[in-house]
Amino acid sequence: IAAAILPKRVDFLQSGLDQGLIEVLGTHPPAERRLGSHDHIVRGLQFSANGEWLYSGGWDERVKAWPIKGPASAVQTLTDHSADIRSLAYHGGRQLLVSTDEGGLVKLWDGRGEALRPLSTLNADSSAHARAVWAAALSPDGQRLATGGKDKRIVLWDIADPAHPVQLGEMVNRFHR
């Protein structure tokens, strides 16, 4: 009996999956578009506010801006980091991209216009993080940045003026020490 029911159950599941895909994708499947690649592992991805750019950061020490439409040759490759990229954060309203790296640097980028433009570098003297910065998060208004590192520290920054960021302090508790 089970053998007689099982094929019908599989057919039902398959048709249900097909119907679900049609509902999500419409009657036309998406076209494949290959953007390109990094030379090593990709650790961070963020879309621009308008969805026209995809930003990526990888273990090849590069941040890239990929155009979603248009020629793949329009990709922008930034080599301002000298260590593997660990994370990216993006604030759509301010069009501000943040990249962090294994060496402890945090970089702020202006995403307005056709190309990313460097704004500032945080932690160049290792005063906020002693080691790799593995995480970054922007506040809803884009005025504050929190960074978390391998050194177990969470640091809060005022980036209201991203060209002149100010370290506000460190979030300390017994779990992060």
Side-chain angles (χ1 to χ4, degrees):
I1 296 175
I5 296 173
L6 187 58
K8 293 180 185 210
R9 179 73 179 144
V10 171
D11 288 343
F12 173 76
L13 289 173
Q14 183 62 43
S15 67
L17 291 173
D18 290 344
Q19 183 61 37
L21 283 173
I22 289 170
E23 289 173 8
V24 170
L25 302 175
T27 56
H28 304 288
E32 183 177 290
R33 168 117 158 71
R34 294 184 186 264
L35 293 175
S37 65
H38 279 264
D39 294 335
H40 210 295
I41 296 168
V42 174
R43 290 291 303 190
L45 293 169
Q46 293 287 323
F47 276 101
S48 65
N50 61 11
E52 293 180 8
W53 292 91
L54 177 64
Y55 304 117
S56 63
W59 282 9
D60 55 5
E61 304 174 0
R62 295 185 178 123
V63 172
K64 293 188 176 193
W66 307 91
I68 298 302
K69 298 177 183 174
S73 61
V75 66
Q76 180 185 4
T77 301
L78 306 162
T79 58
D80 295 47
H81 284 275
S82 58
D84 297 339
I85 307 300
R86 295 304 294 196
S87 70
L88 297 177
Y90 184 80
H91 191 274
R94 296 192 67 198
Q95 296 181 28
L96 180 70
L97 180 71
V98 177
S99 57
T100 71
D101 74 25
E102 187 72 22
L105 292 183
V106 178
K107 294 193 172 272
L108 304 181
W109 307 89
D110 183 351
R112 296 173 292 176
E114 290 296 312
L116 286 174
R117 186 174 55 84
L119 291 170
S120 58
T121 300
L122 291 70
N123 199 46
D125 61 357
S126 298
S127 61
H129 290 283
R131 298 161 67 182
V133 179
W134 284 359
L138 290 158
S139 64
D141 64 2
Q143 304 291 309
R144 303 283 183 273
L145 168 67
T147 55
K150 187 174 182 178
D151 60 3
K152 302 178 184 175
R153 297 173 74 185
I154 299 172
V155 178
L156 189 61
W157 306 86
D158 180 341
I159 58 167
D161 178 359
H164 301 95
V166 176
Q167 183 178 338
L168 294 175
E170 180 179 349
M171 307 292 279
V172 179
N173 65 43
R174 63 188 175 106
F175 300 108
H176 291 106
R177 278 285 167 206

